[in-house]
Amino acid sequence: MDPVPPSPSLRRAPVQRRSAERLARILDACAELLDETGYEQLSTRAVAIRAGVPIGSVYRFFGNKRAMAAALAHRNLDRYAARIDARLAAGQPVDAYGAIDTVLDEYIAMKRTVPGFALVDFGVPGPSAADSVPDPTPEAASEPAPAPAPAAELETPTDDPNHLVADRLCALLATHLGRTPDETLRRQVLVAVEATDALLQLAFRTGPPGDSALIAETRRLLHAYLGPLLDRTG
């Protein structure tokens, strides 16, 4: 079972392997239920049942479902970056356009195949009042009562998800293309991320396969804008 990297939304990080495996099961269950019920109907109780853990185990890690979904988004970003890094490393030497294709192709592959990714990729839907309320359950009576979630837990990391994605991509592209990860490159990558996010939301609005024509247009846009900026000879 893959380890779960530390997330800012975790109340406590797992120390022992058994605890880490339990956290991974919780996040796997969260992802499955997102596909089945959507975010609004997601509950910590349902996740606990699906993961086969006491509800108190969920509350040891998360104050509410929003914090849980935020940890899933954090794991998604780590796995996305790892997939890109592995492909770029295996394809050395790589040019700017090949790197752009890798970044786009890995996102599309995750969008189509990774549980829960269609609703929670690298960020969580906007907060609602229910996000801060723990789910009352019979199981919870035998567990320590969770404290009300502090305000900091109601939001996923303070940075906008697209900024987090841009930071990770900037570092990866700089490493594999021999560029300096300065503020100019980060700004250029952020522009590309924001534009791609908007276009792919449109492309995947009708379902996981996505609109192939809109995906092709997204690739053209990235090649035209980011390609020459990343190409050292351009």
Side-chain angles (χ1 to χ4, degrees):
M1 183 175 295
D2 293 339
V4 178
S7 165
S9 66
L10 280 176
R11 279 181 155 175
R12 64 182 69 180
V15 177
Q16 299 180 342
R17 178 172 179 172
R18 181 179 176 183
S19 181
E21 290 176 347
R22 180 171 289 189
L23 173 57
R25 292 205 310 273
I26 289 170
L27 293 182
D28 289 343
C30 176
E32 292 171 5
L33 287 169
L34 280 168
D35 282 340
E36 295 174 17
T37 69
Y39 179 75
E40 289 302 320
Q41 298 303 314
L42 182 71
S43 72
T44 51
R45 179 178 185 274
V47 169
I49 293 171
R50 176 65 62 90
V53 303
I55 187 67
S57 294
V58 176
Y59 286 132
R60 286 191 187 99
F61 293 117
F62 308 111
N64 50 58
K65 72 175 185 180
R66 185 167 182 80
M68 182 170 53
L72 178 64
H74 183 87
R75 187 177 74 169
N76 285 342
L77 180 54
D78 282 335
R79 290 182 174 180
Y80 177 55
R83 290 170 64 139
I84 293 171
D85 190 38
R87 275 194 58 182
L88 292 180
Q92 294 286 1
V94 64
D95 64 13
Y97 298 92
I100 289 169
D101 286 339
T102 296
V103 167
L104 182 59
D105 290 344
E106 287 301 326
Y107 180 84
I108 292 170
M110 292 183 72
K111 194 79 168 175
R112 289 171 173 167
T113 64
V114 174
F117 198 84
L119 289 179
V120 174
D121 48 11
F122 310 127
V124 185
S128 65
D131 284 338
S132 62
V133 180
D135 301 301
T137 68
E139 294 91 334
S142 61
E143 299 287 345
E153 289 187 11
L154 301 186
E155 297 294 335
T156 51
T158 53
D159 291 330
D160 180 273
N162 281 349
H163 285 256
L164 297 176
V165 174
D167 286 343
R168 297 293 285 274
L169 292 181
C170 181
L172 284 168
L173 293 170
T175 297
H176 289 282
L177 296 176
R179 296 289 304 274
T180 301
D182 55 18
E183 188 57 34
T184 297
L185 180 61
R186 184 191 178 281
R187 182 174 63 251
Q188 293 165 345
V189 172
L190 178 60
V191 169
V193 167
E194 292 283 0
T196 300
D197 181 39
L199 287 170
L200 291 184
Q201 283 189 45
L202 181 62
F204 283 89
R205 186 172 294 170
T206 57
D211 185 313
S212 59
L214 284 173
I215 291 171
E217 291 300 322
T218 303
R219 194 180 307 275
R220 286 182 57 194
L221 181 147
L222 288 173
H223 280 199
Y225 170 69
L226 198 56
L229 297 174
L230 291 175
D231 190 345
R232 289 175 296 178
T233 65

